[in-house]
Amino acid sequence: MAHRILIVDDSATTRAFLKRAISLAGVEATLQEAPHGKAALTLLASGGIDLVMTDLHMPEMGGEELVRALRANPATASMPVLVISADPSTDRGEQLRAIGVAGFVRKPFTPESIRDALAGVLAPGISPANGAASNA
Amino acid sequence: MPDATPELVAESLVEALELMGFIFAMPPEGPAAPPEQAIDIRLPFSGSLKGVVRLVAPLELGVKLAANILPPETHAEELPSPKDALGELANVACGVVIRRLGGDKALTIDMGLPLVVAFNPVQWPALCAAPNTCVLDAEGLTVALALDGVPAPASAQENVA
């Protein structure tokens, strides 16, 4: 069964690159996109999403605020979230884990790092490659 | 913490171009002319380090980036805009520069959103002469990345030690 993934990033380039990376990683997925957290919450309200992959720094609503909103809503409180960001802060992964983020991949990412991160949060069917993804 | 140098900035841009867009870059053979139809993207950051990363690149490089990211059969009208692609390149390069600059030190950084304007070629000589600017030839296209940054006040650094 295809995974239903919502990609949240204000850059259309990164959304396109993530879509390709997911495809190259061999993950069968139905993909939806949103340019910021607010738009993501609107899409999530209608259901049908298994995983959110989000950037941190976006206009309107950033990734951290999005995660807090998801956790505060019983309907999405357990939604797995991967953060994909260029944020260079050393302890960002730990901070994100503290608010319930399942994984943190730094940009620039590779298809392998995306595959490894997805393998950590999605159902069986994806086996980790030797990539550089780090669990938050 | 490593010193900011043009080499560190250049290595960061090379990494961002290669990993994000499969584009290879190297120093130009001689003084480079300013890129044509270029945009000027400035990304501020603050925290343990404070400054601005500035990318000056031709829109043609954005077209190439977007085309390289998507499958070859993608129609031109489906490609992300070159401005968007260059904005994301600036974002990624900024993160790589700061990580390299931090070395093994703990950093807490707040990255701002990019400011994008058309590049004025009159600024090219001053940009090239700035202390932490690199100019590269990215598969025939001239691109510059500059770091204007200083360590944050000691109190800010103590907070993240």
Side-chain angles (χ1 to χ4, degrees):
Chain A
M1 192 179 97
H3 301 286
R4 298 166 298 181
I5 301 174
L6 174 60
I7 297 171
V8 190
D9 198 304
D10 55 326
S11 165
T13 303
T14 295
R15 296 198 304 269
F17 195 12
L18 271 174
K19 285 161 71 177
R20 190 168 190 203
I22 291 167
S23 170
L24 289 171
V27 178
E28 192 183 341
T30 303
L31 304 172
Q32 293 191 61
E33 302 176 40
H36 49 68
K38 270 189 184 174
L41 288 176
T42 302
L43 286 172
L44 284 158
S46 50
I49 300 291
D50 304 320
L51 169 70
V52 174
M53 300 175 80
T54 183
D55 190 12
L56 284 178
H57 306 286
M58 297 177 285
E60 302 282 337
M61 180 189 282
E64 205 167 316
E65 199 181 345
L66 170 63
V67 174
R68 291 184 195 281
L70 292 175
R71 295 297 169 252
N73 180 347
T76 55
S78 59
M79 172 76 64
V81 177
L82 289 176
V83 168
I84 320 290
S85 171
D87 188 305
S89 301
T90 317
D91 56 355
R92 190 64 79 207
E94 285 177 30
Q95 291 172 0
L96 292 168
R97 184 173 54 196
I99 61 170
V101 167
F104 176 39
V105 179
R106 278 215 170 85
K107 297 174 183 176
F109 56 80
T110 61
E112 291 76 20
S113 61
I114 295 300
R115 178 189 172 93
D116 285 354
L118 289 172
V121 292
L122 292 177
I126 305 168
S127 47
N130 293 323
S134 63
N135 288 331
Chain B
M1 185 177 292
D3 290 332
T5 62
E7 289 75 23
L8 181 145
V9 176
E11 288 163 7
S12 304
L13 180 56
V14 165
E15 180 182 336
L17 279 166
E18 284 187 10
L19 282 179
M20 182 184 158
F22 319 106
I23 292 174
F24 296 94
M26 59 184 68
E29 291 186 356
E36 294 179 4
Q37 294 186 34
I39 59 172
D40 185 344
I41 303 169
R42 298 173 196 218
L43 263 166
F45 59 89
S46 58
S48 312
L49 300 169
K50 184 172 168 33
V52 176
V53 165
R54 182 179 177 192
L55 177 79
V56 172
L59 288 171
E60 193 178 345
L61 182 63
V63 172
K64 195 178 186 82
L65 261 176
N68 282 8
I69 284 168
L70 291 179
E73 63 272 18
T74 306
H75 296 293
E77 62 270 19
E78 294 174 304
L79 294 176
S81 78
K83 268 189 190 173
D84 182 273
L86 292 175
E88 190 59 7
L89 175 64
N91 179 43
V92 169
C94 179
V96 176
V97 165
I98 295 169
R99 278 212 315 277
R100 285 175 179 258
L101 201 52
D104 56 2
K105 300 288 183 190
L107 293 178
T108 297
I109 298 290
D110 289 318
M111 291 172 68
L113 294 172
L115 172 69
V116 185
V117 296
F119 178 63
N120 182 349
V122 170
Q123 298 173 1
W124 184 249
L127 175 65
C128 294
N132 292 316
T133 296
C134 77
V135 177
L136 295 177
D137 176 339
E139 300 182 1
L141 299 169
T142 299
V143 55
L145 188 73
L147 169 66
D148 180 8
V150 293
S155 58
Q157 293 186 33
E158 284 166 9
N159 289 338
V160 297

